Every structure is written in structure tokens, then in C-alpha cells.
Amino acid sequence: MKVEDRPIGFFDSGVGGISVLKEAIDLLPKENFIYFGDSANAPYGTKTVDEVKDLTFKAVDFFMEKKIKALVVACNTATSAAIIDLRERYAKYMPIIGIEPALKPAVEYRRKGKILIMATPMTLAETKFNKLMNNYKNEAEIEPLPCPGLVELIERGEFEGEQVNSYLKDKVNTFGKDGIAAIVLGCTHYPFIKKELFKVIPRDVPVIDGSRGTAKQLKRQLTEYNILNKGNQKGSIEIYNSLNSDEIINLSRKLLGLMD
Ligand code: DGL
């Protein structure tokens, strides 16, 4: 098979990376995609860095067997824990794209108040994010907001309702009505609770995630490596999950908009 025709691998600790896959399909409709969610081991954000590295490398073994031409680590947590080691081992075979909290566009709004970075405890504790935050420390007031427990709700398919609402309310209430400049969703699971988030923050607060930017970066890399799919048909989408249950595959497909 020609390299261009090979699939692109998308990886996350669970169903979160579907939010990034969605953007990639929209931007690169002719590509073939393979999604692997490691829901059996979710959440990653409260594990140790070494545990997350191990799990990420195991996932890449799965993708290598599938002969992917590019890898998207559609997980902020796995990116912060493993992207350097991953690139060291695999960059000679294929482009490896990661994701990090989209701080730049949030700063560029130049709104009054604090920029809240909602992410997992690991993403916010790791060097990668702290370097990023340092770049903007003179331009904006940035408030890391670890959200342990939120991924678990989303993995259960709870995107709306009382529990998510009160979780989010507890997180944002202390900042007051005018205290929030913008919110960055620094975990790929969180775009799925955006609707509920807007019930507890003012409507005009920009809520930003990195999924479109990551899809664009994927396109740039495929172009640079000259491995864009040249076919004129719509590509295929395969979804796998370490839980291997119909329930989780159905939830993934539902999030992707393939079924109701
Ligand atoms: N979607 C992952 C991220 O972007 C969630 C990590 C987790 O499983 O805790 O960070």
C-alpha cells in the first residue's frame, strides 16, 4: 500500500480525542482514520508520568501493526508525559502530532479577568505546560484549574445534567461574574461538556480548545512529508477501544456524530 493511502492513528485515554478526530475529518475528509481510546485505563490525568508513558507506548505498538502514516496524540495528558520520548523513537517513521492547552488564542482576546485553564492535574503539573504558561505570564493572568473527576463523568456519557453542572459551578463560582477573561479547555474530553459550562458562566466568555489547531497542524505535517491522501473518495473511520464493549464504541460513534 502506498504511504499516502495508509491510515492516520488517533490516540486518547478514552473518548476525549474524538473531539479532535471530528475536526480532522472535517479538514481532511479523504484521509483514513483509526481511533484508539484507552478507556480501560482512563483517567490518565491522576496517574504517574511513567504509567502514562507506558500506556502511550503500548497504544503506539497497536498503531504500528495497523501501519499508520502519522500519529496524533489527541490527549493533552499523554502529550505532556510522553511526546518527547515518542518523537525520539518514532519520528523517523512518521510525523507525531501532540496537543497542548490553546493558551495563545485566549491571551489574544485581551479581555479583563483571569484566563482559566481547565485540564487534568498531570497536564498542569508538567514542564510542557509550565513553560507555555511562562511565555504569557507578563501578558495575562493565568489560573490553572485542575479538574480531577471530570473525565470519569464524560467517559460514562454524562455531558449534561445535575452532576456535571454542580461540578462546573463549584470550579468557576469563585471567580465571580466578571472575573473570567476566557476559558481554555486543556483536555480533549472537555469540549463535550461545553454546553453545560455555558450554563454556569456568562455567555460572552470565550471558551477555547485546541482541536482545530491540532487538525491544522496534522494537515501541515502531512503536506510537509508529502503524504496527503490523493484519492477523491471519502476516507474510512475505524474505532477501537481497550474496553472492547459495544457501549463504549457506541458512545464514541455518537460523539463523532455517526449515530444518535
Ligand atoms: N483527554 C485527556 C486529555 O486531553 C484526558 C486525560 C485523562 O484521561 O485524565 O488530557
Side-chain angles (χ1 to χ4, degrees):
M1 190 193 271
K2 280 191 292 184
V3 183
E4 303 91 281
D5 298 333
R6 290 197 202 157
I8 298 162
F10 264 72
F11 169 63
D12 179 49
S13 64
V15 296
I18 298 271
S19 60
V20 189
L21 176 61
K22 229 175 170 171
E23 293 293 342
I25 295 169
D26 185 52
L27 199 64
L28 298 159
K30 293 174 196 164
E31 297 294 340
N32 302 308
F33 294 98
I34 295 183
Y35 185 88
F36 175 67
D38 190 12
S39 294
N41 292 300
Y44 277 14
T46 45
K47 290 187 161 49
T48 66
V49 170
D50 283 344
E51 282 171 325
V52 172
K53 262 188 205 170
D54 277 0
L55 292 166
T56 306
F57 271 87
K58 274 196 194 118
V60 180
D61 287 344
F62 165 86
F63 284 123
M64 292 309 273
E65 275 177 27
K66 298 278 180 193
K67 304 218 174 328
I68 57 169
K69 65 175 179 182
L71 174 70
V72 178
V73 182
C75 175
N76 293 261
T77 308
T79 298
S80 65
I83 200 87
I84 294 175
D85 295 12
L86 278 179
R87 288 198 174 123
E88 213 166 275
R89 188 168 327 160
Y90 294 106
K92 51 183 174 291
Y93 305 115
M94 61 188 168
I96 296 172
I97 294 98
I99 186 165
E100 63 180 9
L103 194 44
K104 188 168 181 255
V107 171
E108 284 168 354
Y109 273 101
R110 313 245 169 247
R111 281 171 48 104
K112 235 171 68 218
K114 289 184 172 173
I115 298 177
L116 309 185
I117 318 290
M118 293 175 64
T120 68
M122 187 184 298
T123 298
L124 297 175
E126 278 307 292
T127 320
K128 199 172 193 311
F129 174 70
N130 283 285
K131 273 192 187 156
L132 178 71
M133 192 163 68
N134 237 353
N135 291 341
Y136 295 101
K137 71 167 191 284
N138 298 326
E139 286 182 68
E141 240 189 301
I142 301 161
E143 180 87 17
L145 201 63
C147 296
L150 191 49
V151 161
E152 288 90 319
L153 291 175
I154 298 164
E155 283 288 308
R156 290 205 296 268
E158 288 182 40
F159 316 120
E160 293 181 73
E162 187 48 43
Q163 224 181 331
V164 183
N165 189 283
S166 71
Y167 184 102
L168 295 172
K169 212 186 281 162
D170 277 356
K171 286 282 163 196
V172 300
N173 259 0
T174 47
F175 301 100
K177 218 168 78 41
D178 303 316
I180 307 174
I183 297 184
V184 176
L185 303 179
C187 167
T188 55
H189 280 72
Y190 302 166
F192 297 120
I193 49 90
K194 213 165 156 179
K195 200 167 149 199
E196 204 61 50
L197 183 61
F198 274 117
K199 291 186 190 163
V200 300
I201 57 167
R203 197 62 233 182
D204 60 340
V205 171
V207 175
I208 301 145
D209 69 73
S211 52
R212 192 74 186 176
T214 305
K216 283 186 183 165
Q217 176 62 4
L218 169 64
K219 188 173 179 182
R220 274 195 293 272
Q221 292 277 298
L222 295 178
T223 309
E224 209 168 285
Y225 278 65
N226 200 15
I227 51 173
L228 274 166
N229 196 311
K230 313 247 173 13
N232 40 30
Q233 278 168 338
K234 213 172 153 2
S236 63
I237 303 157
E238 288 174 41
I239 298 178
Y240 298 88
N241 192 290
S242 54
L243 273 184
N244 216 3
S245 69
D246 287 348
E247 219 177 327
I248 200 80
I249 300 294
N250 287 344
L251 175 62
S252 308
R253 294 175 74 81
K254 181 178 164 189
L255 292 173
L256 199 52
L258 294 183
M259 52 189 276
D260 339 297

